[in-house]
Amino acid sequence: MADITSITSRALNVERETAPRPVSAAFDWLARAQQEPHHAHRGWREQGITLLPLGTRFNSVCLSARLVHAGVGADDPEVVTATLAELLNGPVIHNRVQHRYHALVERYPVARWRYTDEAPMLGPGHYLTVPASDLTGPTGLYWAVRPRIVGDLCPVQSVAALVHIARDAGPLGTR
């Protein structure tokens, strides 16, 4: 497993640091998605990332960069980040390598999610690579919008509204 994590870290431009990474109550809450939260903390400390199971504390909606840019009406990273923070009101991970955003949402029945083709919701049985609290971009895997407090998640209806706006707007630049 260490080899896979090392490869993933290098691929995502995550630098290893010897100094401890800051841990807040919000990140401790995220770590408790694992049965052994200390494993999550160790991953963040040593690799800058950790793998968390979905469906226990939260789900994730996978949003392509194209969809997000169409939904917010911009592709400038600062504008996108500020708009996502306002529209989604919760934490969002950006994976620049894969051109994807992951909105962390409350647990929700995946079968009831209406936008499975445009923005699949991932829940039980899936895992999400979650960056350390201090990784805020602009390269690799980082927090576009960091969690602020314990239990901070995007409301499902806010993410659905973003997908709906993007679908109606079409590709960025066609408005």
Side-chain angles (χ1 to χ4, degrees), residues 16-47:
R16 292 185 189 170
E17 297 179 1
T18 55
R21 294 177 178 276
V23 175
S24 68
F27 281 83
D28 189 51
W29 182 83
L30 289 173
R32 292 181 187 284
Q34 286 190 359
Q35 288 184 346
E36 301 287 337
H38 66 277
H39 291 301
H41 289 293
R42 183 174 22 170
W44 283 323
R45 186 176 58 251
E46 295 175 2
Q47 304 295 325

Side-chain angles (χ1 to χ4, degrees), residues 62-127:
C62 182
L63 305 158
S64 71
R66 179 178 295 181
L67 182 139
V68 168
H69 297 163
V72 303
D75 59 4
D76 176 83
E78 290 181 23
V79 173
V80 171
T81 295
T83 306
L84 287 176
E86 186 175 327
L87 287 177
L88 300 185
N89 194 31
V92 180
I93 296 169
H94 185 200
N95 186 326
R96 285 189 64 146
V97 174
Q98 295 180 352
H99 308 287
R100 299 219 175 272
Y101 291 83
H102 287 272
L104 277 56
V105 297
E106 63 254 18
R107 289 182 302 157
Y108 184 83
V110 175
R112 290 183 46 207
W113 177 246
R114 294 178 39 197
Y115 302 101
T116 57
D117 292 335
E118 299 102 324
M121 179 181 284
L122 307 174
H126 291 93
Y127 289 81

Side-chain angles (χ1 to χ4, degrees), residues 119-169:
M121 179 181 284
L122 307 174
H126 291 93
Y127 289 81
L128 182 65
T129 303
V130 177
S133 63
D134 61 336
L135 294 179
T136 56
T139 62
L141 182 74
Y142 67 92
W143 290 100
V145 182
R146 287 172 30 112
R148 302 159 295 196
I149 59 172
V150 169
D152 188 22
L153 298 170
C154 301
V156 170
Q157 58 271 32
S158 297
V159 178
L162 175 66
V163 175
H164 186 75
I165 290 166
R167 188 170 60 180
D168 289 350

